[in-house]
């Protein structure tokens, strides 16, 4: 069950409202790098963790709930940046650069659909779409999904921080930047506790329960080059030790592979796939 | 520029066509864990790599092009599994369990829209949607996105492998399982070469170019607990060393944080947000 | 069957074309508050009404068909606002505020994809998506969906009316504002005729055919508070008569509820959900 | 800020797991009638309520938080219904009706993407999409959106209740049916407190701040008939008092309206809209 | 403006309701090949036709309006096929193949969301999405879009016709098959009247207003081969006359083209694209 | 299998970067008229062509692979147009028209999500969606889909060409304009080789394998007029020879058709569609 109180986790102040920045902040709410995604991702991951891994379920739910509070902060920031935003496409507009910039840079639906408020959409105006929410059932895969989400999330927060000069907004964003640093660290730590705790990469390759003998042996440590000319070259991923420590990398050129021919039969006539040469 | 020849990377044989499995295979083509996603993801990442990191651009493009070949293999597998699939909802259906299962388990549009062929959709029937394609411009973030994509991709291939008894399909899937193992290894290796090559986690936290002094100090290594009762507990992420090695983790309960009050002003009357108490 | 003639329901004049307003008008065509939604919503509702409720089927179809005419008017308004819109990102642009505003404020695809015409998209540029079309089969639920659609629709028309100074556009929008007022009234009237005509709320709770004795008694008139501290308070929805007139409201704090523990078993090994601690 | 504890609001028991029902339950999680929609809808509405209406903000947030708990319950129900679900399309399948039904009736991605867990999708397999989330900034419009959401939500819960014989599932669903009844009542009560508390319909027409004199007078209480033959008829919405009590309804046939002609100019040649009759 | 009467264009009878066929019919309503697409496509094309081409505007609107009637017929067909469909996942199910097939083959939301009615979705369950609606502003491009839409539409109707044995459904579908044949013919006829009426292909290449001298000469009639080995071959599109009659086709191998090197600069540091090697 | 080399098909130079044009170019990458669509469309069509039509499979795959190179060129063009684009919403902005225009005209996610790079989205910011990819299994239908795709694609390229004054961009676009002209010609040529090679329209009506005697005779060559008044008129599609040459066109007014009445029964009570007049 869930509860709430009236406070924000961290102050959200806007010295000078900026409707264009209100648009940009939407990416941090409803974008693929945003808080709705991580909130739902950690929550659905938590829902699926069985009882014997309760410590990971708790970890995931703790952070999912923290993220709801980030959505709340960002929605507040959007509303404050829209205070006093223009609602008229005036004739004078063409001669007033500032109003121009404000109107052209606004996201129309923040006014038209939400009355100058935040929406569950991204900065390009696309509605949040739960297809980005990853909860695979496998904790190792999920932890990488979480590190990735916090990496692109922190990158976004850093870019937003660069974009504004408003001290309140810079402060709020630096808080989110800090939280996303922590979250990267915590998900990686959790990842490293999976499998043998002495071996941080024991979870590899994910899923590490697939019977190794079932994989065709020549393909699981060979880098496949797909250049037209097939020239071999050296790189950390074409030779030397792999990260999971089991075998060394090798190099193979696709053009040297045996491959196989395609053979596709014609479909059933009921598909009407065929074009007859005489149809009467 | 790109080129092709007539061969498949690996044999695609189907001993006994199974239209229900043709549906399941769609997830590996157009699903969020599928080959269209990784192919486009590596390609768009490659497009954005500047010349001074040409070795990573090459790495990304090599594998992007390999993945097109996986789409080709899977599309062939779908077509072969649909050979002889029923096209009629017959009256006899109710008494013939096998036809029943085939018809009910099929994805309607493989017949209706594609004439018994593969489509760029997932196993639930949703069209592929490029919003899952992650290419952030930051190589470290992208590498985690790639490890994550290959982790869920290999998990999917393993689940499909469990689902079928067809020897041809099991063999083809084991090839994809092997490639996804290699890809996890190669992306992690590339990740570890970023930053100081002696320190595999030097890239943390992503982006590692954000000025550290700008982050509010108390929030970047503290685990934030959000339970109602606030009871403190020990876990690898509430104490002890963090993965990036800079500071130790600590524990904070959200209820103990100072927080801040929300204050939201009424919007401009032009929004018509208000409900008047007397409108005539 | 359907028919048409050449006229618009109401004049659509544009004194001074404004490409930014052409963008805003798209919300009224393809937005969630727009005419495509209501048109299709009333039509699909009408399709499902059984013969014994033919008067409601007729009501719904009459208005669905009126709404097609609104799409026609709005598409005309978009085309007229795009007359003379710039098609070049000129070098001079930077020094000419008016052209700047026009180009930056335009919706790119109105030119690129439609040759300066209306599209079935919203003002943020998202394609119309029939998932907003509600036709539940239950007339009471549908009537609330319709009142809601006309409420947000009229709110949108009023906001668009505020946004423009063009007399032709203001006049056209005031017509739509008037029609949406009528539609709110007519759907509510229809709602009140459902069930006992003497009791406007006899349709509650929707569906009113669910056997009341099957509902756990303590939960259907109690307001559930979810604050962390659980402090009780008085409001029109925590005490006093409910709208359906059956029972009085009461107050319950979530933290005082008995609740239940979750217990989730580990999934089948075929899911490969587990991370093994030793994979060779 | 938000908090959680370990309990479910109400017991979630499944006597006999049913993977087909696990599919159906998805509609109540990620469907347009589901809990993710109402949760986010109430939360985004709350985010936008200004301080002077704090009692409505609290009302909205209280219920938003309750709804997160419903998602948690339903996700638990999905996982329990998937316990022991088949993961193989066996050869024997055709002769075993029960396995057939289970496999054909399952939602593929619950296994393939989630390892036998709930996902943020609907029963047809579509990902949750925040375009259904309505938060208009106008409390009256929002309250109708909420009544509508709870009406279709309760209708869905009732249909799911009819669909299952499992006592645990029937019990859980009856709880949700009860809560949705309460929510219909509470939103309507809140609606009736807007504007003049003595007049439950004083909020009409929404928004009730649009200047009435600006509406073309003949259109705001007239029912517009769109039949081809234009025959007049009597119905509660073509005559008699309207719900907002201001004027009586009247009847108008579209074919009798003055209307207006369309006049659309040719677009700029840069659009390349024209087809030339001689292109060299 | 638009009008309606009570009749269907053509009889819609169902002898034996079949809920699985109700699912399949959805493709003809809300699918990319379906009637909603063509209806909206012709209507939006008509909206954009300028006055001097009024005969094409009329042509487009006439058929758009015919297509609304097809949606009406198909929605009726869906409802009739759902009559008596099961609403319970019974325990007996496993032993009754017919009920099994019905339940497993149904589209869940036709019951759950629509109370056994048609929805604006396709046969895979995806909501109709107006991104398939093509109205480019250029009549020649639009006519090809229309021929294509009627081609895939008629193909779909033919496949549905194969799928059913119900005489009423076969009859209704044969009507749609006939109309789609007419529509292919009418759009092609209209296409051939564009440009010089003596030359059916005078409209090529579309748009035929692009200044020919601006195209790099060696690329507009040469077939570009992309095989790895570059072997030349003869085909009707590598030599001989082209359809627009201006030049003969020729053959070029991509590997022989001059091409150009990519050169991508590093992005601004504010993007945080770089990974630093030492971040403190 | 697929291969690549390092070159672009054609030079991509940008003299003066223009972030607004970087937005517009996205339509040519991820838009419905763009290169991702045609690339995937030809590839999926190729995947489904049976062995006996190998020459068409080859034709389709050759061009699919060419199109990947177009995506590569356009992504390069986007990155070059974003060089030096502003990343700050500065206070000075209001007084500097050029920076204003740049910031307001940019697509936010090119910076926020991609670090100043191309994305798989369109110019309105919508992610590419594979629902536009048409691969029907019937070569004639597919060829029309391809002509249509190249027609709207070339129209788009021409419009982009009009939009820019940059010589490098004009040159690159003229190359794409030339290729799209070739592709229109090649697909039409392929279409005309289907069926009897002497009769370019022998493929009509598509699919031409539907038994002609099954179509109700009066509907397959009659133009259906849907005007309210039913006045007959002459046009090339209401009389005279049809394109497939079989019969002449005729004229029918919808209002004169026999039609049929709808009759829809009430649904099963389990749907809870009914509103009871007394619910206790």
């Amino acid at each position: 069950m869930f509860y709430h109180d009236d406070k924000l986790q961290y102050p959200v102040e806007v010295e000078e409202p900026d409707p264009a920045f209100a648009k940009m902040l939407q990416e941090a709410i409803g974008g693929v790098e945003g808080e709705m995604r991580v909130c739902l991702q950690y929550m659905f991951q938590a829902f699926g963790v069985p009882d014997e891994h309760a410590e990971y379920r708790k970890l995931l739910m703790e952070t999912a709930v923290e993220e709801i509070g980030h959505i709340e902060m960002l929605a507040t920031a959007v509303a404050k940046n829209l205070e006093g935003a223009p609602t008229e496409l005036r004739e004078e507009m063409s001669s007033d650069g500032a109003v121009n910039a404000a109107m052209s840079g606004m996201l129309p639906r923040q006014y038209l659909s939400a009355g100058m408020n935040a929406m569950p959409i991204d900065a390009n105006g696309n509605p949040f779409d739960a297809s980005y929410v990853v909860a695979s059932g496998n904790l190792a895969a999920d932890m990488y999904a979480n590190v990735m989400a916090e990496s692109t999330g922190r990158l976004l927060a850093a870019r937003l921080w660069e974009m504004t000069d408003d001290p309140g907004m810079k402060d709020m964003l630096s808080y989110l930047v800090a939280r996303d640093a922590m979250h990267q660290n915590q998900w990686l730590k959790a990842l490293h506790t999976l499998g043998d705790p002495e071996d941080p990469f024991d979870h590899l390759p994910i899923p590490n329960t697939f019977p190794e003998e079932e994989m065709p042996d020549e393909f699981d440590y060979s880098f496949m080059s797909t250049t037209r000319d097939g020239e071999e070259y050296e790189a950390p991923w074409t030779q030397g030790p792999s990260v999971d420590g089991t075998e060394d990398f090798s190099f193979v050129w696709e053009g040297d592979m045996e491959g196989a021919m395609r053979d596709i039969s014609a479909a059933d006539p009921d598909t009407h796939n065929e074009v007859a040469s005489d149809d009467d």
Side-chain angles (χ1 to χ4, degrees), chain A:
Chain A
M1 293 198 285
F2 301 84
Y3 301 87
H4 66 102
D5 63 25
D6 262 358
K7 289 196 296 183
L8 299 170
Q9 280 174 18
Y10 196 84
V12 177
E13 301 297 344
V14 174
E15 198 166 282
E16 200 159 344
D18 179 349
F21 199 60
K23 172 172 69 178
M24 302 302 172
L25 286 168
Q26 284 288 162
E27 190 68 23
I29 296 175
V32 67
E33 308 89 355
E35 306 288 355
M36 291 179 70
R37 184 249 182 104
V38 285
C39 170
L40 288 165
Q41 180 158 307
Y42 306 156
M43 202 173 276
F44 274 86
Q45 288 177 8
F47 292 153
V49 177
D51 293 354
E52 62 260 49
H53 299 310
E55 72 280 18
Y56 295 104
R57 183 156 77 196
K58 188 176 175 85
L59 166 62
L60 288 161
M61 189 57 87
E62 297 271 47
T63 308
V65 172
E66 179 189 346
E67 304 289 9
I68 315 178
H70 294 183
I71 304 174
E72 188 183 35
M73 288 170 61
L74 285 158
T76 305
V78 167
K80 290 195 171 192
N81 272 293
L82 288 169
E83 272 179 25
T87 56
E88 292 179 57
L89 298 161
R90 293 173 218 264
E91 206 149 315
E92 315 82 288
M93 199 178 148
S94 53
S95 59
D96 180 344
V99 177
N100 274 2
M103 281 303 300
S104 305
M106 285 176 65
L107 205 42
R109 296 190 61 210
Q110 286 183 335
Y111 168 50
L112 295 177
S113 301
M116 298 298 179
N117 283 300
M119 297 185 72
I121 61 178
D122 73 15
N124 278 2
N126 301 298
F128 174 78
D129 166 357
S131 63
Y132 344 126
V133 172
V134 175
S136 71
N138 178 295
L139 275 170
D142 285 356
M143 287 301 139
Y144 276 114
N146 297 354
V147 175
M148 169 272 204
E150 296 287 348
S151 298
T152 52
R154 192 168 182 266
L155 190 55
L156 171 64
R159 287 168 176 166
L160 289 167
W161 184 89
E162 298 286 356
M163 204 170 227
T164 182
D165 283 340
D166 191 279
M169 285 294 93
K170 274 189 124 59
D171 187 37
M172 177 194 79
L173 287 162
S174 72
Y175 171 77
L176 296 176
V177 163
R179 294 312 299 154
D180 288 2
M182 172 61 197
H183 293 163
Q184 289 178 32
N185 262 304
Q186 78 184 40
W187 302 131
L188 279 169
K189 179 61 104 181
L191 182 66
H192 294 179
T193 65
L194 297 172
D196 177 354
E198 298 302 302
D199 175 3
F201 295 108
D202 188 45
H203 56 268
L204 294 178
I206 296 170
N208 68 1
T209 48
F210 189 85
E212 201 179 319
E213 67 280 8
E214 296 284 353
M215 283 190 288
D217 195 48
E218 64 271 43
F219 293 115
D220 54 350
Y221 287 92
S222 57
F223 179 78
M224 189 178 299
S225 180
T226 56
T227 56
R228 180 159 66 91
D229 60 18
E231 202 173 340
E232 188 160 347
Y233 59 94
E234 295 187 358
W237 37 86
T238 65
Q239 55 173 17
S242 65
V243 176
D244 69 10
T246 312
E247 286 185 41
D248 275 10
F249 288 124
S250 61
F251 181 97
V252 62
W253 179 50
E254 193 185 32
D256 286 337
M257 287 167 56
E258 190 175 356
M261 296 309 298
R262 303 188 65 201
D263 55 308
I264 295 289
S265 313
D268 189 291
D270 282 1
T271 58
H272 293 279
N273 281 2
E274 285 302 295
V275 183
S277 62
D278 184 13
D279 59 302
D280 36 317

